Amino acid sequence: MTDITQSKLEQQSKPRSQWLDVWDQFSTHKGALAGAGFFLFVLLAVIFGPYVWAIDPQYIDIRARNEGMSLAHPLGTDQLGRDTLARLIRGGQTSMAVGLTAMLLSLVVGTLIGVLAGYVRWLDGPLMRLTDLFLALPLLPLLLVIIMLFRETLRSALGPEAGIFLLMVFVIGITSWMQTARIVRGDVLSLKEREFVLAAVSIGTPGRRIILRHILPNVLSPIMVSATLGIANAIITESALSFLGLGFPSDFPTWGRLLFDAIDYLQQDPGRVLWPGLAISLTVLSVNYMGDGLRDALDPRIRGR
Amino acid sequence: MFDYTIRRTLLAIPTLLFISLILFLLLDLAPGDPTAQLPLTIPPEVKEKIRESLGLGQPLVIRYLLWLQQFFVNEPLHYLTEITGWDLSGDRQRVLSWQSRSPVVDIILQRLPQTLWVVGMSYVVGVLIALPIGIISAYRQYSWFDQIGTFVSMIGFSVPTFFTGVLLIVVFSVELGWFPSIYDTTHVVDDWSSFLFQVKQMIMPTMVLALYNAAQISRFMRASMLDNLNQDFVRTARSKGLRESTVVLVHVLRNSMIPVVTVIALGVPTVFGGAIITEQVFKVNGLGQLLITAIQANDIPMVQSLTFIFAILIVAFNLIADVLYGVLDPRIRYD
């Protein structure tokens, strides 16, 4: 009798990991699934695109300038005859690289400050005041000012590409960690009082190990959600800065820069603004949908309903 | 409540001072010299005098304190003088722009109306669109209206304003020719046709910002309504036999508005920031455009004052949001 129920139980409940549950919930959200698919597609296109579409984005073919869509140039060419598709792929590389690294930087800073503020009591006050202070800064004007002031120095020190890339990533990362820090701090504060942390403390686990083994895995879900929002924010900020003419130089395309350059040709070739704009918008849209789905999937109260 | 307001206001002062210090240090420590652009034919000793006249010779602390005095004492006194006619300011030094050598605050006041018109109007329009959409989509959750509403707000939230703006220009100015693509700030409204023109040129920049704001606020409104619709007091209200419109529009809406009102207040300064981009797209010569040109010209007093004014706006509206929350929701008052 007991054997039968035992085997029945085993049949019914195959071992399921938490992440399988999360995936199940995630895949019920159609928008999130589509968003993740599109984001993956953009990522792959940007990484492997140059091998498939092998035209050099810097190659100037002045006789083929301002062309519309054709078989040789599926998305047309710009005023110097450079292939728009190739430039879009190259621009995507920069935009995605800036987005991902800036997001990582802001996550690391945000998580570090959040965990420290939540776990170490005497650091809580000062760190949260710092966070409030950063939230009160006028970010876009400040970004513009920082970039304007330090652009030339970094460019001459590290070269035009690496210098501006580092500046962008640093500036975006350092101004977008506050939300993550606040959420992580709140979660850490409540986790700290839970029994399993108490148990770990009582057997003499050092603080560093408690944070790494017991607290960080449990705050992973809000971190993941803010990671997706961070990518969206970083991509938008980078293209906004490039759009204002304060981002990457023109021979080093990003999506925002391509859009900015296309505006001068709005009368002649209105279609040209469409492609980089669509690339930015669709990527951000897909990332936001992904974030929505992740938030639902990682919330155990919603999961399984 | 009064205590709470006073305490919050006093806390805002050190924040503002600290922000001003950060801004000052940032601009001061940065490489770049305002006299670097001057012609090389100017002899070095004259150049040194120019530097001194710009106030660059003194130590950092003195310059910071002087700037604070100029910004917080001299400028208000000057305006009191203008309004009342009493001579309060004397010959106190005002904050001068390095570009035009005229007082920074005067230039900012010249540009303010354009920004306020476009930004303020777009925020009002955005809120007016967002509230009904949020209410209806929450009340009819998962209906087609809700599906479309959330999809559109997701789009409005994701598509950057510089793309929607350019897209509108392509469609309505280049292709259809309905609206002008450049905002004419010299335009004077004195009769019906010039008023129509003003409306026409305001439609596109206003709609771009309104869509963006409406997207964010309607998401909040929907979430907040959904939180309240399942509460016990709603069931009680229904079981008392109240009309459905009373239940939704009085019992639920009033409670749902609490967080939304604070979000609306918090959003005002970010709209000023976002307007920088929209102003650039439609060539509105407001505050954002002033900031960009000042940055490009290395006009440090102007950049400093403008960024600091943005900071004051943020701190002030944070304060307003906090106090409003206390007024609307007695549970969170700290007294």
Side-chain angles (χ1 to χ4, degrees):
Chain A
M1 174 76 179
T2 41
D3 286 353
I4 299 169
T5 34
Q6 197 76 40
S7 63
K8 239 184 183 173
L9 265 176
E10 272 167 14
Q11 262 180 4
Q12 273 174 358
S13 54
K14 280 181 188 162
R16 291 182 63 84
S17 74
Q18 184 195 0
W19 295 108
L20 209 64
D21 281 352
V22 170
W23 170 251
D24 275 359
Q25 176 68 31
F26 186 76
S27 54
T28 57
H29 193 310
K30 286 195 200 86
L33 215 56
F38 185 80
F39 187 70
L40 210 65
F41 164 74
V42 173
L43 214 58
L44 290 178
V46 155
I47 296 171
F48 298 108
Y51 301 107
V52 180
W53 188 250
I55 294 185
D56 180 8
Q58 308 288 12
Y59 176 70
I60 294 174
D61 181 6
I62 205 78
R63 269 177 301 183
R65 67 175 184 272
N66 291 329
E67 270 184 13
M69 293 190 205
S70 65
L71 215 55
H73 303 289
L75 303 182
T77 57
D78 67 359
Q79 79 279 12
L80 293 175
R82 292 175 291 192
D83 184 67
T84 304
L85 180 59
R87 280 169 72 74
L88 207 60
I89 293 173
R90 173 61 66 83
Q93 279 176 353
T94 325
S95 288
M96 293 294 263
V98 169
L100 291 173
T101 15
M103 175 272 285
L104 273 182
L105 179 64
S106 92
L107 269 196
V108 169
V109 177
T111 312
L112 190 71
I113 290 189
V115 168
L116 282 181
Y119 197 78
V120 186
R121 187 170 299 233
W122 61 272
L123 276 176
D124 190 16
L127 283 181
M128 280 302 110
R129 289 293 81 71
L130 183 77
T131 314
D132 287 347
L133 203 80
F134 262 83
L135 279 172
L137 288 175
L139 289 183
L140 190 63
L142 203 68
L143 285 177
L144 295 174
V145 171
I146 297 177
I147 287 176
M148 194 62 206
L149 292 173
F150 293 97
R151 189 160 63 161
E152 292 309 317
T153 335
L154 274 175
R155 193 186 268 182
S156 53
L158 296 166
E161 287 162 22
I164 298 210
F165 183 84
L166 278 181
L167 181 64
M168 280 287 195
V169 167
F170 178 75
V171 156
I172 296 175
I174 217 74
T175 51
S176 58
W177 52 267
M178 291 82 77
Q179 299 298 345
T180 320
R182 281 188 153 185
I183 298 168
V184 169
R185 168 186 172 263
D187 278 16
V188 171
L189 274 181
S190 70
L191 277 173
K192 202 170 66 169
E193 305 301 326
R194 296 272 286 275
E195 285 81 0
F196 66 92
V197 178
L198 212 66
V201 173
S202 63
I203 59 169
T205 318
R208 188 174 47 88
R209 287 276 290 279
I210 291 181
I211 289 176
L212 290 179
R213 288 291 291 266
H214 301 289
I215 291 188
L216 267 188
N218 281 303
V219 291
L220 208 60
S221 34
I223 294 179
M224 278 169 70
V225 174
S226 46
T228 54
L229 298 180
I231 298 178
N233 171 52
I235 291 178
I236 286 204
T237 314
E238 182 273 319
S239 26
L241 292 173
S242 298
F243 179 80
L244 292 172
L246 285 166
F248 288 90
S250 150
D251 49 351
F252 191 60
T254 70
W255 287 337
R257 184 78 215 187
L258 287 175
L259 186 61
F260 178 62
D261 290 342
I263 288 194
D264 296 337
Y265 299 90
L266 210 52
Q267 299 274 353
Q268 285 176 27
D269 189 4
R272 221 179 108 187
V273 293
L274 203 64
W275 302 115
L278 269 184
I280 300 169
S281 311
L282 287 178
T283 311
V284 172
L285 190 66
S286 70
V287 171
N288 277 339
Y289 262 118
M290 225 159 74
D292 252 21
L294 262 184
R295 186 173 12 224
D296 289 356
L298 291 170
D299 189 344
R301 283 168 302 180
I302 295 178
R303 196 160 67 220
R305 246 205 265 159
Chain B
M1 192 60 220
F2 185 70
D3 265 14
Y4 171 65
T5 314
I6 296 285
R7 205 166 50 223
R8 290 283 305 141
T9 317
L10 288 180
L11 263 178
I13 294 172
T15 316
L16 276 178
L17 280 179
F18 201 80
I19 292 175
S20 74
L21 183 66
I22 290 182
L23 286 178
F24 192 85
L25 285 179
L26 188 69
L27 287 166
D28 200 79
L29 297 178
D33 181 359
T35 55
Q37 305 281 335
L38 293 175
L40 290 171
T41 46
I42 296 177
E45 58 268 24
V46 179
K47 215 171 182 174
E48 201 48 47
K49 280 206 173 135
I50 294 176
R51 283 179 60 84
E52 262 169 40
S53 76
L54 292 171
L56 286 172
Q58 260 121 19
L60 190 74
V61 188
I62 307 266
R63 273 183 293 144
Y64 176 61
L65 291 177
L66 270 178
W67 179 73
L68 278 186
Q69 193 214 357
Q70 284 180 352
F71 200 89
F72 286 108
V73 180
N74 297 5
E75 291 294 340
L77 277 182
H78 179 84
Y79 278 91
L80 276 181
T81 309
E82 270 196 2
I83 294 166
T84 57
W86 308 327
D87 187 27
L88 293 168
S89 58
D91 55 351
R92 283 170 185 271
Q93 176 68 47
R94 304 187 62 192
V95 187
L96 294 183
S97 157
W98 285 351
Q99 268 173 299
S100 57
R101 309 296 299 153
S102 62
V104 164
V105 180
D106 288 356
I107 305 178
I108 291 176
L109 286 180
Q110 277 172 13
R111 301 295 188 92
L112 197 59
Q114 283 88 289
T115 299
L116 274 186
W117 262 112
V118 175
V119 174
M121 190 63 90
S122 68
Y123 206 58
V124 172
V125 171
V127 170
L128 287 182
I129 299 174
L131 294 186
I133 290 182
I135 294 169
I136 298 174
S137 14
Y139 187 62
R140 304 212 174 283
Q141 198 188 2
Y142 303 129
S143 66
W144 61 266
F145 184 90
D146 181 33
Q147 307 273 359
I148 295 175
T150 33
F151 181 65
V152 170
S153 72
M154 196 58 148
I155 289 181
F157 181 67
S158 305
V159 179
T161 48
F162 50 85
F163 183 51
T164 28
V166 171
L167 213 59
L168 285 190
I169 291 182
V170 168
V171 175
F172 292 107
S173 302
V174 178
E175 300 290 330
L176 296 172
W178 288 357
F179 307 122
S181 73
I182 292 178
Y183 187 93
D184 178 10
T185 34
T186 58
H187 181 69
V188 184
V189 180
D190 47 8
D191 57 356
W192 181 246
S193 64
S194 65
F195 174 72
L196 275 187
F197 181 78
Q198 176 69 17
V199 170
K200 256 185 172 178
Q201 68 173 355
M202 272 182 66
I203 284 179
M204 283 205 297
T206 310
M207 283 328 271
V208 166
L209 273 176
L211 176 72
Y212 185 68
N213 299 327
Q216 285 180 324
I217 296 170
S218 75
R219 280 165 67 91
F220 266 103
M221 189 72 228
R222 178 175 178 272
S224 169
M225 284 288 282
L226 282 178
D227 276 351
N228 277 313
L229 271 171
N230 294 324
Q231 298 276 334
D232 291 341
F233 69 84
V234 180
R235 193 169 351 125
T236 312
R238 283 205 178 109
S239 58
K240 278 197 302 188
L242 292 180
R243 270 181 297 136
E244 191 62 15
S245 61
T246 324
V247 174
V248 176
L249 292 180
V250 178
H251 289 76
V252 181
L253 182 62
R254 280 177 65 176
N255 281 295
S256 313
M257 280 308 281
I258 298 170
V260 176
V261 165
T262 54
V263 165
I264 291 174
L266 284 177
V268 175
T270 51
V271 164
F272 274 94
I276 294 177
I277 295 168
T278 319
E279 284 181 0
Q280 205 67 13
V281 174
F282 292 100
K283 312 276 189 288
V284 183
N285 67 342
L287 292 182
Q289 198 254 0
L290 185 64
L291 179 70
I292 304 263
T293 44
I295 286 177
Q296 276 159 357
N298 243 335
D299 184 358
I300 287 179
M302 180 65 93
V303 175
Q304 225 162 23
S305 312
L306 270 176
T307 359
F308 192 54
I309 286 173
F310 282 125
I312 293 177
L313 279 176
I314 294 181
V315 173
F317 277 96
N318 275 342
L319 191 67
I320 291 174
D322 270 8
V323 173
L324 263 183
Y325 213 121
V327 170
L328 295 174
D329 190 347
R331 283 171 302 181
I332 67 131
R333 279 179 212 164
Y334 295 109
D335 44 29

